[in-house]
Amino acid sequence: MTLLVVTAVEAEAQAVRAGLRQPVAAASGAEPPQRAPVTVAAAGVGAAAIAAGTARLLTLAEAAGDPYQAVVLAGIAGGFPGRAPVGATVLAAHSIAADLGADSPEGFIPLDDLGFGTTIAPADPALLARLRAALPTAITGDILTVNTVTGTAQGVQTLAGRFPAAVAEGMEGYGVARAAAAASVPFAELRTISNAIGPRDRAAWRIPDALAALTAAARALGA
């Protein structure tokens, strides 16, 4: 399987490459001359940027006659307290655009209820099963994609109530999932937890530990 792994930022891409037996770096839009089984690219922060970057990489590979067979979004994320502790590895059963919809006096209305599409992108079952087998201690649940990261206790409570299966939140998963779906390529999302979702406490963030956990998890991608 030729696999494209996309991350938001270069630090995450470097952590993934460090865990691969055959590391390959590709800038967004670049064409590797001889592609190894796994290609890693930092494709942008936020759902829109990373969707555009992922779509470009997929299109270039297809145009070259060597399409990718799967896409994995990998990176660090915030974990829901009591569901995914700092340092944990999590896999998405679904990547969900949690704030894509409309506000109303009665509360938030998701895109699904508005009739304009879906906010839920399920992971490819076979790809998810492969990752779960390679990462037996990983937590599987829903991973939320948000445009504004949650920074209040009330925000955590609201999201936890709306999404009882959610274990983490990031800013890119749903965007990569939509790009993969448009190209008919299997998709999965893998995250490692750097901090608890909620009031911002930078002193409690464990980004180096989460990147180290991402390196360890990346070994499963190259297996």
Side-chain angles (χ1 to χ4, degrees), residues 150-158 197-199:
T150 306
T152 66
Q154 180 59 47
V156 175
Q157 184 177 1
T158 298
I197 299 170

Side-chain angles (χ1 to χ4, degrees), residues 199-207:
R200 293 175 65 82
D201 180 9
R202 293 185 67 91
W205 293 0
R206 298 291 180 265
I207 292 177

Side-chain angles (χ1 to χ4, degrees), residues 110-152:
L111 191 71
D112 311 64
D113 293 348
L114 294 171
F116 297 129
T118 181
T119 58
I120 302 171
D124 177 77
L127 183 56
L128 178 59
R130 172 185 166 186
L131 292 173
R132 292 184 69 178
L135 296 166
T137 62
I139 298 167
T140 301
D142 294 339
I143 299 181
L144 307 184
T145 299
V146 295
N147 290 296
T148 303
V149 296
T150 306
T152 66

Side-chain angles (χ1 to χ4, degrees), residues 21 27 29 34 36 46 53 65 69 121 123 150 165 169 189-190 192 217 222:
R21 287 196 289 266
Q34 290 185 331
Q69 296 172 296
T150 306
E169 74 168 20
E189 180 174 1
L190 182 159
T192 55

Side-chain angles (χ1 to χ4, degrees), residues 6 43 47 50-51 54 58 71-73 172-181 187-188:
V6 290
I50 205 165
T54 301
L58 291 172
V71 180
V72 172
L73 179 280
E172 293 84 24
Y174 180 80
V176 177
R178 298 314 303 161
F187 161 81

Side-chain angles (χ1 to χ4, degrees), residues 15 40 60 75 77 102 109 118 154 183 194 197 202-203 213 215 217 220:
V40 184
L60 286 170
I109 306 172
T118 181
Q154 180 59 47
S194 61
I197 299 170
R202 293 185 67 91
T215 294

